[in-house]
Amino acid sequence: MKHITIKDLAKTLNVSISTVSRAFNNKYDIKPETRDLILQKAEELGYRPNPIARKLIQQRSFNIGVVVPEFENSFFPKVLMGAQEILHDKGYQVLMMQSNYSWEIEKKNVETLVDNKVDGLIISLTSENKNNSYYKSLIDQNIPIVFFNRTVDDIPASQVLFDDFKWALFATEHLIMQGYQNIVHLKGSENLNLTQNRVSGFQQAHRKHRVKPGKIIPCGFRTKDGERVAQQLIDNNEVPRAIFAANDSCAIGAMNIFKQSGYHIPNDIAMVGFTESNLAKHIHPSLTSVEQPTKDIGQTAANLLLEQIANKGIFVPQTIFLNGRLNVRDSSINHLQKNV
Amino acid sequence: MKHITIKDLAKTLNVSISTVSRAFNNKYDIKPETRDLILQKAEELGYRPNPIARKLIQQRSFNIGVVVPEFENSFFPKVLMGAQEILHDKGYQVLMMQSNYSWEIEKKNVETLVDNKVDGLIISLTSENKNNSYYKSLIDQNIPIVFFNRTVDDIPASQVLFDDFKWALFATEHLIMQGYQNIVHLKGSENLNLTQNRVSGFQQAHRKHRVKPGKIIPCGFRTKDGERVAQQLIDNNEVPRAIFAANDSCAIGAMNIFKQSGYHIPNDIAMVGFTESNLAKHIHPSLTSVEQPTKDIGQTAANLLLEQIANKGIFVPQTIFLNGRLNVRDSSINHLQKNV
DNA sequence: TTATTTACCGGAAACGTTTCCGAAAATTGT
DNA sequence: ACAATTTTCGGAAACGTTTCCGGTAAATAA
C-alpha cells in the first residue's frame, strides 16, 4: 500500500501530470469534464497533493504561524481563538507555538515557522530588546508579520495594541477617586513596553490628580511574584492602602498572602488587577480589573496580516489600538466613602 | 538580497553540493576541516538548510503535531508544556492545533499535520465515535500516534489515561462519607469515554456504600452548562444536597447560580469538581476537585511517542494510567458532621 | 615497489509538485 | 474550405535538498 502521487494518478487516467495539477489548482485552461474526472478518480484512489512539494516550488504554504509566550493564562488562548476564526475562514491553517517566556525558544520557534514557509506571522514577544534586530531582518526579507500587545519599537510592522498607558491611568484614577491615598504599583516584567506604559499611566494619574506619587515595586507577572512582594511588604511593615498590580495573576498572589496574614480586602487593602483573567469575577473578593478585548485583538491581527499578505510589498504598517473596559468589583470599593 | 541555497554555498567554497550536505548532516565521510570550513562560511552567509526540501526527500520533519480540543482551561496547556519539554530536548519542534470541540476541524488539523509529514501525533479527541475509522487508517499507514485522556476504543495505539472511573468513585465516596444523602452528578459531554467512566464511578460509589443511586443529569463541560442546569434544578425545586460535577467549569457555573439564589455552599449544597482548574483554590468557597497530573501526562505521552518513533514497525501499543489526587476544600465539607 | 584498503569527494538521480512554453485540437470567422 | 483564434493539453525545467554510486588520492599492507 504505497503512497500515491500525482504521477500514479496521471498514469491511471492517461493524462499528463500537468493536467492533474491543473485540475487540483482549478486553473482556467482545463476542460471542466476532465477536471471532474480527475478529481473523482483522485477521491477514489485517496490521492492528496503533497503540500511539501507544493511549498517547495511555490515558496508558500497557506499556513500562518503564531508565537505567544504562554497558554496558561486565558489571555493568549482567547486571542488565538479570534485569530484562528478569521484565518480558517480564508483557508489558512494556524500553527501555534509557545515560547515559554524564553526568547531563545521564541527565536527558535519563529525560525522553524519561517523555514517552513509560513505565509505570515502573528507574534507577541517575551521581551522587547533582545532580538529586535532579528525581527528587523525578517521584515527586510519581506515576511509579513504583525505584532500584538508585546511589540518592539521602531519597527516597520503592523501592530495591534492595547493602550496600556490609558487604562493604567483609568485604573489608578479609579483607586484615587475611591479615596485611597497610599497606592503602590506592582510592576510587570522588565523589557516590555507595556510594563513601562502601565507604570507611566500609574504615574500620570497621580500627577493629574495632584497627589503624592505612589511607590513602584518591581514584581512580575506570575502569582508567585505577587506572593513574594506581598510578603516583603508585610515583613517591612510597608503595607499600602491600595495596590494596582501589573496583572491579575500577580494581584491574586498578593491578595492571598494579605488575606492569610489577616488583612481584609478592600477594607485594609484595595486591589486592582489588569488583563481580566477567568479568576477575577470568581475570586473572593471579586477583583477589579482592566479587561482587554481578547478576541477582537486576535481577529484584528489576523485581518491585518491577511491584508499584508495580499498587498505584499506595497503595504504600509498600521498600528491599531483597541478599547478595553474597567470592570469594577468588590476588591477596590471603598465602603467607608472617605479618604483613607 | 536573494535567498541563499546550498548551491550558492557550494559554489563560493568550490565544493560540491553533496559535500555541503554532508557537512550539515554530520556524516562520517567528510574531513573535519572541510566540515568546519563549510559550517563557518554558512554562518557567515546566513545559509540555513531548507527544511521543506529536506522533508520532501526524507519524508520526515522532526516536527510533532499536537491536537487538543481547546486552550481555554488550563488543563490542556499544562499537558502541552510537559510534552513540549521532552520533545524540545530531543530536537523536535511542536506544532499545536486546537479543534475547538469540532471534529471537522480536528480532522482537518490532523490532515494538515500528516500532509506536512510530522513524525508523530499526540491527540486528545473531541468526540470518540465520529472519526474512529479515520484514526484507524492513520495507524495502518504506520503513523505514530498517542492519545491522551480522550481516546477511542479498540484501536491499536498507545494511550496515556487517567482513571476517571476510580477518581469519580473517590470523589463521590468523599461526598458520601461526609454524610450527604442526595447527591447528583452533572454529566459531561456525550460521546466521550471519560464521561461514561465518571458516571460509572459515581454509580459504583453508591453501590459500594449501599445508598440509593444518585440522579444523573446531562450537563456539559462549560460554565454556562453548569449555570443552566443549576437554574433548572432551582426552578424545578429539585436542588440536591450535594453535586459531583463533570468538571470544575461546570461546577463553578452551578455554584454561582446557587449562590445568587441564596443557597449557601457547602451548608445548603456541597460541591465537588473534576480536573483541578486554576480557579478551584481561589474561588469562594474553595472547590474540592480531582487533580490530574497534567505535566506528567504530557511528558508520558511524549516519551511514548518518541519510543514509538524509534521502534517504528515493531512497537506494541501501551496504555498507561497515571495517578491523581483529591483536593478536599471548603465546598464539600460537612460542618455539621452528620448525615444530611 | 606494487597491490589493497581507506578517506574523502563529485555527479546525478530522486522526492512530488507547479509553471512556462509550445503544440494539437476544437472553434470561430470569412 | 481555409485562416485565425481559442481551448485544452503534454513536455520539461525548476524548487532545494539527500543519497547512492563511483572515482581519485592518500595511506597502509604485502
Side-chain angles (χ1 to χ4, degrees):
Chain A
M1 193 57 209
K2 253 310 303 300
H3 189 220
I4 172 167
T5 78
I6 197 174
K7 271 184 211 160
D8 308 321
L9 184 54
K11 199 176 293 171
T12 63
L13 282 170
N14 263 329
V15 295
S16 75
I17 292 178
S18 344
T19 307
V20 177
S21 174
R22 272 186 273 261
F24 272 89
N25 294 58
N26 213 13
K27 289 292 173 71
Y28 65 96
D29 57 348
I30 185 175
K31 186 155 52 168
E33 293 93 71
T34 52
R35 169 164 45 72
D36 296 344
L37 195 77
I38 292 173
L39 258 30
Q40 182 196 324
K41 194 76 183 176
E43 176 75 32
E44 194 182 320
L45 298 188
Y47 165 74
R48 297 170 52 82
N50 182 333
I52 301 207
R54 172 181 271 164
K55 281 188 231 188
L56 182 59
I57 193 146
Q58 293 196 141
Q59 308 275 31
R60 68 174 305 194
S61 61
F62 268 93
N63 283 346
I64 299 293
V66 182
V67 182
V68 297
E70 46 123 334
F71 291 153
E72 293 235 38
N73 291 329
S74 63
F75 175 75
F76 289 111
K78 281 178 181 160
V79 173
L80 287 187
M81 301 267 293
Q84 191 174 245
E85 203 173 276
I86 301 287
L87 293 170
H88 271 171
D89 260 16
K90 300 291 180 182
Y92 286 87
Q93 287 291 337
V94 181
L95 305 179
M96 321 186 200
M97 312 196 82
Q98 64 169 336
S99 57
N100 214 355
Y101 285 107
S102 141
W103 61 271
E104 284 96 351
I105 297 185
E106 174 185 308
K107 191 174 170 194
K108 223 171 147 187
N109 284 343
V110 174
E111 278 171 349
T112 17
L113 257 11
V114 169
D115 288 345
N116 281 283
K117 301 286 181 277
V118 289
D119 294 353
L121 288 164
I122 296 178
I123 301 178
S124 187
L125 300 171
T126 64
S127 160
E128 260 114 22
N129 51 7
K130 296 283 190 179
N131 35 17
N132 198 319
S133 66
Y134 173 61
Y135 288 108
K136 278 224 173 77
S137 80
L138 286 186
I139 292 173
D140 285 346
Q141 292 171 245
N142 227 348
I143 296 170
I145 305 184
V146 0
F147 294 95
F148 73 91
N149 274 51
R150 298 160 176 231
T151 177
V152 329
D153 284 334
D154 304 325
I155 211 164
S158 285
Q159 315 182 333
V160 9
L161 299 176
F162 187 68
D163 194 338
D164 293 281
F165 172 83
K166 184 168 96 181
W167 290 94
L169 190 153
F170 285 175
T172 313
E173 227 169 5
H174 162 69
L175 287 172
I176 294 173
M177 302 306 266
Q178 290 289 312
Y180 303 119
Q181 314 263 2
N182 174 17
I183 309 172
V184 317
H185 174 48
L186 306 189
K187 179 181 168 184
S189 298
E190 306 290 335
N191 293 333
L192 285 172
N193 286 338
L194 61 82
T195 295
Q196 185 49 47
N197 292 338
R198 289 176 197 174
V199 168
S200 303
F202 176 74
Q203 292 170 323
Q204 177 64 23
H206 286 76
R207 273 197 298 277
K208 182 172 167 189
H209 293 271
R210 299 167 199 285
V211 298
K212 189 163 137 267
K215 206 169 159 187
I216 292 160
I217 303 176
C219 179
F221 283 138
R222 283 165 302 187
T223 309
K224 66 178 179 202
D225 295 322
E227 290 169 350
R228 177 177 37 78
V229 170
Q231 195 58 57
Q232 272 173 28
L233 289 171
I234 294 172
D235 292 347
N236 297 345
N237 211 13
E238 296 182 336
V239 177
R241 187 56 191 84
I243 286 180
F244 166 49
N247 70 352
D248 279 15
S249 299
C250 156
I252 288 166
M255 266 173 74
N256 285 342
I257 295 295
F258 287 132
K259 283 196 293 188
Q260 276 172 31
S261 304
Y263 291 88
H264 186 275
I265 294 168
N267 292 351
D268 296 325
I269 315 166
M271 301 270 332
V272 169
F274 210 97
T275 312
E276 175 89 2
S277 70
N278 284 339
L279 290 158
K281 74 161 75 83
H282 294 298
I283 203 176
H284 184 78
S286 57
L287 178 64
T288 298
S289 186
V290 172
E291 181 177 348
Q292 299 200 39
T294 46
K295 193 171 170 186
D296 199 4
I297 291 175
Q299 294 179 328
T300 310
N303 282 322
L304 237 42
L305 188 67
L306 288 174
E307 196 182 323
Q308 197 174 142
I309 290 172
N311 316 335
K312 212 164 174 175
I314 51 161
F315 94 106
V316 283
Q318 296 180 55
T319 298
I320 296 182
F321 280 91
L322 295 175
N323 251 313
R325 188 167 62 186
L326 180 67
N327 292 324
V328 176
R329 301 200 180 88
D330 295 341
S331 72
S332 65
I333 292 178
N334 182 353
H335 298 289
L336 308 170
Q337 287 297 343
K338 62 172 185 187
N339 290 358
V340 283
Chain B
M1 194 54 210
K2 252 312 303 302
H3 189 220
I4 172 168
T5 78
I6 198 174
K7 272 183 209 162
D8 306 322
L9 184 54
K11 199 176 293 172
T12 64
L13 281 170
N14 264 329
V15 296
S16 74
I17 292 179
S18 344
T19 308
V20 177
S21 174
R22 272 186 273 261
F24 272 90
N25 293 57
N26 214 13
K27 289 292 174 70
Y28 64 97
D29 58 348
I30 185 174
K31 186 155 54 168
E33 294 94 71
T34 53
R35 169 164 45 72
D36 295 346
L37 195 76
I38 291 173
L39 259 31
Q40 182 195 325
K41 195 74 181 176
E43 175 76 33
E44 194 182 319
L45 298 188
Y47 165 73
R48 298 171 51 83
N50 181 333
I52 301 209
R54 171 182 275 163
K55 280 189 232 186
L56 181 58
I57 195 147
Q58 294 196 141
Q59 307 276 30
R60 70 175 303 195
S61 63
F62 268 94
N63 283 346
I64 299 293
V66 183
V67 182
V68 296
E70 46 121 333
F71 290 154
E72 291 234 40
N73 291 330
S74 63
F75 175 75
F76 289 112
K78 280 178 180 158
V79 173
L80 287 187
M81 301 268 294
Q84 191 174 245
E85 205 173 276
I86 301 286
L87 293 170
H88 272 171
D89 260 18
K90 302 290 181 184
Y92 286 88
Q93 288 292 336
V94 181
L95 305 180
M96 320 185 201
M97 312 195 86
Q98 63 169 336
S99 57
N100 213 355
Y101 285 107
S102 142
W103 61 271
E104 284 95 351
I105 297 185
E106 174 184 308
K107 190 173 172 197
K108 221 170 148 188
N109 285 343
V110 173
E111 279 172 349
T112 16
L113 257 11
V114 170
D115 288 345
N116 282 282
K117 301 286 181 276
V118 289
D119 295 352
L121 287 165
I122 297 177
I123 301 178
S124 187
L125 300 172
T126 63
S127 161
E128 261 115 23
N129 51 7
K130 296 283 190 177
N131 34 18
N132 200 318
S133 67
Y134 173 61
Y135 287 109
K136 279 223 173 79
S137 80
L138 285 187
I139 291 172
D140 285 345
Q141 292 172 245
N142 227 348
I143 296 170
I145 306 186
V146 1
F147 293 95
F148 72 92
N149 274 54
R150 297 159 178 232
T151 177
V152 330
D153 283 334
D154 304 325
I155 209 162
S158 286
Q159 315 182 333
V160 8
L161 299 176
F162 186 69
D163 194 338
D164 293 280
F165 172 83
K166 184 167 97 180
W167 290 96
L169 190 154
F170 286 175
T172 312
E173 227 169 5
H174 162 69
L175 286 172
I176 295 174
M177 302 305 265
Q178 289 290 312
Y180 302 119
Q181 315 264 7
N182 174 16
I183 310 172
V184 318
H185 174 47
L186 306 191
K187 178 181 169 186
S189 299
E190 306 290 335
N191 292 333
L192 285 171
N193 285 338
L194 61 83
T195 294
Q196 185 49 47
N197 291 340
R198 287 175 198 174
V199 168
S200 303
F202 175 75
Q203 293 169 323
Q204 177 64 22
H206 285 77
R207 274 195 296 275
K208 182 173 167 189
H209 293 272
R210 300 168 201 283
V211 296
K212 185 163 139 269
K215 203 169 161 190
I216 292 160
I217 302 176
C219 178
F221 283 137
R222 284 165 301 185
T223 309
K224 65 176 178 204
D225 294 323
E227 289 170 350
R228 178 176 38 78
V229 171
Q231 194 58 58
Q232 273 172 26
L233 289 172
I234 294 173
D235 293 346
N236 298 346
N237 212 11
E238 297 182 333
V239 177
R241 186 57 191 85
I243 286 180
F244 167 48
N247 72 350
D248 278 16
S249 299
C250 155
I252 287 167
M255 266 173 75
N256 285 342
I257 295 295
F258 287 132
K259 284 196 292 186
Q260 275 173 32
S261 305
Y263 291 88
H264 186 275
I265 295 167
N267 292 351
D268 297 324
I269 314 167
M271 301 272 330
V272 170
F274 211 97
T275 313
E276 174 89 2
S277 69
N278 284 339
L279 290 158
K281 75 159 78 79
H282 292 299
I283 203 176
H284 184 77
S286 57
L287 178 66
T288 297
S289 187
V290 173
E291 182 177 346
Q292 299 200 39
T294 45
K295 194 172 167 182
D296 199 5
I297 292 175
Q299 293 179 329
T300 309
N303 282 323
L304 238 43
L305 188 67
L306 289 174
E307 196 182 321
Q308 196 175 142
I309 290 172
N311 316 335
K312 210 165 174 175
I314 51 162
F315 94 108
V316 283
Q318 296 180 55
T319 298
I320 296 182
F321 279 91
L322 295 175
N323 250 313
R325 189 169 60 188
L326 179 67
N327 293 324
V328 176
R329 301 203 180 87
D330 296 340
S331 71
S332 65
I333 293 178
N334 182 354
H335 297 288
L336 307 171
Q337 288 299 344
K338 61 172 184 186
N339 291 357
V340 284

